[in-house]
Amino acid sequence: IKTSLVLRRRIGSLLLLLLAVNMVGGQIRYSIPEEMKKGSVIGNVAQDLGLDLKRLRRARIVTGESVHYTELQKDKGTLVVNERIDREQLCGDVTPCSLSFEMILENPMELHRITVEVLDINDHAPVFPNKDKPISFEISESAAVEVRFPLQSAQDLDVGQNALKNYILSPNDNFILKQHSNPDGRKYVEMVLQKPLDRERHPHFSLKLIAVDGGTPQRSGTVNIDVTVLDANDNIPVFNQSVYKASVLENTKTGTSIITVNATDADSGSYGHITYSLSEMKESAADIFRINENTGIIYVSGQIDYEKDKKYELRVEAKDHGGLTGTSKVIFDVIDVNDNAPIINVMSFSSPLSEDSRPGTTIAILNIKDADSERNGQIKCSIDGKLPFKIESSLTNYYNLVSDQHFDRESVSEYNITITATDFGSLPLSSSTKLHLKISDVNDNAPLFDKNSYTAYITENNSPGFSIFTVSARDCDWNQNARISYLLEDTQVGGNPVSTYVSLNSETGVLNAVRTFDYEQTKQFELVIKAQDGGSPPLSSNVTVKIIVQDQNDNPPQVLYPVQTGGSLVAEMVPRSADVGYLVTKVVAVDVDSGQNAWLSYKLQKATDRALFEVGLQNGEIRTIRQVTDKDAVKQRLTVIVEDNGQPSRSATVIVNVAVADSFPEVLSEFTELTHDKEYNDNLTFYLVLALAVVSFLFITCLVVIISVKIYRWRQSRILYHSNLPVIPYYPPRYSDTLGTGTLPHVYNYEVCRTTDSRKSDMKYMQPMSQSLVNPNSFMACMFNFSLLFELIGIKESSFYVM
């Protein structure tokens, strides 16, 4: 036994040294003896494939029913034995015996097949089925020479040189052995009578049948043969065919008869009665076939599977009651039936897949097998529906799912791929598997605003922080690539940064006011907002937003004329001869607001005599509505209210004093009495004298001024036109042309200007309805002086001023 173990180890070492490695088209083939110890090296995969160990560490071993027998040591790149390999258990009597599996490498994806051929060693001795039970024969003494007696065949699980080679019969004078070989290479033996038996001399024989194999060391098995010599039975059963052949469909139902064998025996009586039995069957066949011992009908008793056995060889025996046996051979060819659908195994699947992947990118590797044969085992693979993918064949039974066009995640973000494998049987069978492929996003879309530009409105006098407008952009990308931030571009508004006017929420796009807006200062402005996504690199787009400030009625009307003074009383003179519609004066007012907030209307609120005057609603003109009579009071006081059209409206009030008189002294006495307390009445004469003195002085001053203007007009006109004085328009009343009472044409007005810088005055003629550039106080003083002057020289004026 020790010698045998040493020899086995040497044989194993020798086989390892003679290990052959064959690489063809991504395949490696190794040869190893069976029964190697766990951890024994089979081969260096990394070296044979020319792979880097770092890349091999990410390799995966897939498929193969016997993949557990081996192990890939990724850190060394070697393939070692992981479990004891028993060739007989793995392959039975099939040669050559090999196990195959596939290895998948990632980045780039590669597929390699590794085949390990397991070589037989002589680890099994020939064994007879019933070695503990002797083979018994009852042979008539009349048996003729050359009569053959089939013996049990020994079974040796080894193959090749280590399989059963020879049978040896223990020495005797009557029997010899003859050996035969089946077409499949199996040997069977017959014991041949070479010398007639003599029951009287040798009624019983005890022989040994020895089966030896061809291995080194040689192994053998023994069974005893007991021969009992019977009385004369001269004929053996004979079959009508030496070989019976029949075909049987796989999956034939149990109990179905296949063939009937027939044998005859020339003897009569019990020696001619034959019984049939089956012998020399594999273990698998013993459970599948039965024979009726009386009729010779062979029928199915088990499950026939073409994928396990494609042919069955049976030995049928016909035995008479005299102990003689005839034999024949029965061969069953199994016909394949398309009873196996293709089996789909997903070896590798890459999901999600980037949308910028190029056409031809491998997405999945599939292993598809069909256990049937010929056309029943041929497969066609297809993809259901019109999808941007195709199936390509790689190694045997392997298929690659590859992309067929460019992807756009924004159009299609995921695919449900149904792969169907169909065989070519007459009734084709198919199977399918579903793959859910997700397309990962690439930042290839910039944010887009809803409009090319926006217009937003805000009412003036807003509170700081007021939300003006919300911009919104969308991005067709996904996740971080679609996360939008809003940025305010650094632009200028009126020389100031736009950030001093508005602020922008970077997440919501809400535009808020930073300050309070005044329509009268800023009516509108523009800003630029950028929408930027969170991709790498980020993409962005800009939009222009116009902010329009809307007016509020926050300014009341301002009365420009008549000017209300605290210390002077201003009055308009109306002659008693004035007719209906006589223009007394005009109230002039402005409103700095805009739109309807600046539309002004004039109304007469109070009046000494409402039946005498009216105010134009739109133009503010005060006119008489009846003929002035002598009974009308000299002093008329009118209160005019000026309102704008805002909501709510704002207003201003102006008091207009009107003197109804034909002479200035009459007016002066009336207004002087009204403007002083009763305690000063005794001093009236004093004030009148003082007034005349002042008028005389002013008259002389005016003559000097007129002469100065005539002399220096050409020099002072240029200075006057460049003076930066406040503008207060004055519109004097017009006299009716039909009355003929006025001495000045209504198309002219007079204006005296005193410049604050040169201390010089000038009087000039202006065009009708033009605005005067005067100081309000100077204007009043001048008009008062001129009224006195005109009265003294006999010229009637419609307006006068009393200090």
PDB file of all heavy atoms in Angstrom, residues 439-452:
ATOM      1  N   ILE A 439     -30.294  55.369 -16.973  1.00  0.00           N
ATOM      2  CA  ILE A 439     -29.331  56.236 -17.647  1.00  0.00           C
ATOM      3  C   ILE A 439     -28.949  57.346 -16.668  1.00  0.00           C
ATOM      4  O   ILE A 439     -29.814  58.080 -16.180  1.00  0.00           O
ATOM      5  CB  ILE A 439     -29.915  56.836 -18.941  1.00  0.00           C
ATOM      6  CG1 ILE A 439     -30.446  55.715 -19.859  1.00  0.00           C
ATOM      7  CG2 ILE A 439     -28.859  57.663 -19.650  1.00  0.00           C
ATOM      8  CD1 ILE A 439     -29.397  54.716 -20.283  1.00  0.00           C
ATOM      9  N   SER A 440     -27.660  57.420 -16.348  1.00  0.00           N
ATOM     10  CA  SER A 440     -27.189  58.456 -15.422  1.00  0.00           C
ATOM     11  C   SER A 440     -26.986  59.776 -16.173  1.00  0.00           C
ATOM     12  O   SER A 440     -26.706  59.792 -17.372  1.00  0.00           O
ATOM     13  CB  SER A 440     -25.889  58.017 -14.737  1.00  0.00           C
ATOM     14  OG  SER A 440     -24.863  57.813 -15.689  1.00  0.00           O
ATOM     15  N   ASP A 441     -27.141  60.851 -15.444  1.00  0.00           N
ATOM     16  CA  ASP A 441     -27.173  62.185 -16.051  1.00  0.00           C
ATOM     17  C   ASP A 441     -25.769  62.745 -16.263  1.00  0.00           C
ATOM     18  O   ASP A 441     -24.850  62.492 -15.482  1.00  0.00           O
ATOM     19  CB  ASP A 441     -27.977  63.131 -15.156  1.00  0.00           C
ATOM     20  CG  ASP A 441     -28.161  64.494 -15.804  1.00  0.00           C
ATOM     21  OD1 ASP A 441     -28.530  64.529 -16.982  1.00  0.00           O
ATOM     22  OD2 ASP A 441     -27.929  65.501 -15.135  1.00  0.00           O
ATOM     23  N   VAL A 442     -25.635  63.513 -17.334  1.00  0.00           N
ATOM     24  CA  VAL A 442     -24.446  64.316 -17.625  1.00  0.00           C
ATOM     25  C   VAL A 442     -24.921  65.758 -17.783  1.00  0.00           C
ATOM     26  O   VAL A 442     -25.983  66.005 -18.363  1.00  0.00           O
ATOM     27  CB  VAL A 442     -23.726  63.822 -18.907  1.00  0.00           C
ATOM     28  CG1 VAL A 442     -22.584  64.771 -19.268  1.00  0.00           C
ATOM     29  CG2 VAL A 442     -23.188  62.426 -18.703  1.00  0.00           C
ATOM     30  N   ASN A 443     -24.152  66.692 -17.255  1.00  0.00           N
ATOM     31  CA  ASN A 443     -24.564  68.099 -17.294  1.00  0.00           C
ATOM     32  C   ASN A 443     -24.402  68.657 -18.709  1.00  0.00           C
ATOM     33  O   ASN A 443     -23.412  69.302 -19.038  1.00  0.00           O
ATOM     34  CB  ASN A 443     -23.738  68.915 -16.288  1.00  0.00           C
ATOM     35  CG  ASN A 443     -24.304  70.307 -16.100  1.00  0.00           C
ATOM     36  OD1 ASN A 443     -25.493  70.524 -16.299  1.00  0.00           O
ATOM     37  ND2 ASN A 443     -23.453  71.240 -15.719  1.00  0.00           N
ATOM     38  N   ASP A 444     -25.408  68.407 -19.543  1.00  0.00           N
ATOM     39  CA  ASP A 444     -25.355  68.854 -20.932  1.00  0.00           C
ATOM     40  C   ASP A 444     -26.480  69.830 -21.281  1.00  0.00           C
ATOM     41  O   ASP A 444     -26.701  70.114 -22.455  1.00  0.00           O
ATOM     42  CB  ASP A 444     -25.410  67.644 -21.880  1.00  0.00           C
ATOM     43  CG  ASP A 444     -26.619  66.756 -21.630  1.00  0.00           C
ATOM     44  OD1 ASP A 444     -27.308  66.980 -20.613  1.00  0.00           O
ATOM     45  OD2 ASP A 444     -26.864  65.847 -22.436  1.00  0.00           O
ATOM     46  N   ASN A 445     -27.195  70.313 -20.289  1.00  0.00           N
ATOM     47  CA  ASN A 445     -28.273  71.276 -20.527  1.00  0.00           C
ATOM     48  C   ASN A 445     -28.116  72.462 -19.577  1.00  0.00           C
ATOM     49  O   ASN A 445     -27.995  72.285 -18.365  1.00  0.00           O
ATOM     50  CB  ASN A 445     -29.649  70.631 -20.310  1.00  0.00           C
ATOM     51  CG  ASN A 445     -29.979  69.617 -21.371  1.00  0.00           C
ATOM     52  OD1 ASN A 445     -30.393  69.946 -22.470  1.00  0.00           O
ATOM     53  ND2 ASN A 445     -29.766  68.348 -21.047  1.00  0.00           N
ATOM     54  N   ALA A 446     -28.098  73.643 -20.170  1.00  0.00           N
ATOM     55  CA  ALA A 446     -28.021  74.859 -19.352  1.00  0.00           C
ATOM     56  C   ALA A 446     -29.422  75.225 -18.862  1.00  0.00           C
ATOM     57  O   ALA A 446     -30.425  74.878 -19.493  1.00  0.00           O
ATOM     58  CB  ALA A 446     -27.435  76.018 -20.168  1.00  0.00           C
ATOM     59  N   PRO A 447     -29.514  75.929 -17.724  1.00  0.00           N
ATOM     60  CA  PRO A 447     -30.832  76.375 -17.262  1.00  0.00           C
ATOM     61  C   PRO A 447     -31.474  77.316 -18.280  1.00  0.00           C
ATOM     62  O   PRO A 447     -30.791  78.106 -18.931  1.00  0.00           O
ATOM     63  CB  PRO A 447     -30.520  77.095 -15.950  1.00  0.00           C
ATOM     64  CG  PRO A 447     -29.188  76.570 -15.517  1.00  0.00           C
ATOM     65  CD  PRO A 447     -28.436  76.277 -16.772  1.00  0.00           C
ATOM     66  N   LEU A 448     -32.772  77.237 -18.408  1.00  0.00           N
ATOM     67  CA  LEU A 448     -33.512  78.073 -19.347  1.00  0.00           C
ATOM     68  C   LEU A 448     -34.625  78.808 -18.595  1.00  0.00           C
ATOM     69  O   LEU A 448     -35.366  78.201 -17.821  1.00  0.00           O
ATOM     70  CB  LEU A 448     -34.128  77.220 -20.470  1.00  0.00           C
ATOM     71  CG  LEU A 448     -33.151  76.526 -21.418  1.00  0.00           C
ATOM     72  CD1 LEU A 448     -33.912  75.660 -22.415  1.00  0.00           C
ATOM     73  CD2 LEU A 448     -32.280  77.536 -22.140  1.00  0.00           C
ATOM     74  N   PHE A 449     -34.707  80.127 -18.843  1.00  0.00           N
ATOM     75  CA  PHE A 449     -35.781  80.908 -18.252  1.00  0.00           C
ATOM     76  C   PHE A 449     -37.052  80.747 -19.083  1.00  0.00           C
ATOM     77  O   PHE A 449     -37.007  80.379 -20.269  1.00  0.00           O
ATOM     78  CB  PHE A 449     -35.388  82.388 -18.184  1.00  0.00           C
ATOM     79  CG  PHE A 449     -34.350  82.688 -17.139  1.00  0.00           C
ATOM     80  CD1 PHE A 449     -32.994  82.719 -17.467  1.00  0.00           C
ATOM     81  CD2 PHE A 449     -34.722  82.916 -15.818  1.00  0.00           C
ATOM     82  CE1 PHE A 449     -32.039  82.988 -16.507  1.00  0.00           C
ATOM     83  CE2 PHE A 449     -33.773  83.180 -14.853  1.00  0.00           C
ATOM     84  CZ  PHE A 449     -32.429  83.215 -15.189  1.00  0.00           C
ATOM     85  N   ASP A 450     -38.181  81.045 -18.451  1.00  0.00           N
ATOM     86  CA  ASP A 450     -39.456  80.930 -19.150  1.00  0.00           C
ATOM     87  C   ASP A 450     -39.574  81.936 -20.284  1.00  0.00           C
ATOM     88  O   ASP A 450     -40.232  81.664 -21.290  1.00  0.00           O
ATOM     89  CB  ASP A 450     -40.618  81.132 -18.163  1.00  0.00           C
ATOM     90  CG  ASP A 450     -40.606  80.079 -17.058  1.00  0.00           C
ATOM     91  OD1 ASP A 450     -40.065  79.004 -17.313  1.00  0.00           O
ATOM     92  OD2 ASP A 450     -41.137  80.350 -15.969  1.00  0.00           O
ATOM     93  N   LYS A 451     -38.949  83.119 -20.127  1.00  0.00           N
ATOM     94  CA  LYS A 451     -39.042  84.171 -21.136  1.00  0.00           C
ATOM     95  C   LYS A 451     -37.641  84.707 -21.433  1.00  0.00           C
ATOM     96  O   LYS A 451     -36.707  84.508 -20.659  1.00  0.00           O
ATOM     97  CB  LYS A 451     -39.944  85.312 -20.660  1.00  0.00           C
ATOM     98  CG  LYS A 451     -41.373  84.903 -20.366  1.00  0.00           C
ATOM     99  CD  LYS A 451     -42.186  86.101 -19.883  1.00  0.00           C
ATOM    100  CE  LYS A 451     -43.642  85.722 -19.584  1.00  0.00           C
ATOM    101  NZ  LYS A 451     -44.425  86.878 -19.093  1.00  0.00           N
ATOM    102  N   ASN A 452     -37.556  85.390 -22.569  1.00  0.00           N
ATOM    103  CA  ASN A 452     -36.278  86.008 -22.917  1.00  0.00           C
ATOM    104  C   ASN A 452     -35.993  87.243 -22.062  1.00  0.00           C
ATOM    105  O   ASN A 452     -34.835  87.612 -21.861  1.00  0.00           O
ATOM    106  CB  ASN A 452     -36.265  86.393 -24.395  1.00  0.00           C
ATOM    107  CG  ASN A 452     -36.313  85.178 -25.289  1.00  0.00           C
ATOM    108  OD1 ASN A 452     -35.805  84.122 -24.919  1.00  0.00           O
ATOM    109  ND2 ASN A 452     -36.927  85.305 -26.455  1.00  0.00           N
TER     110      ASN A 452
END
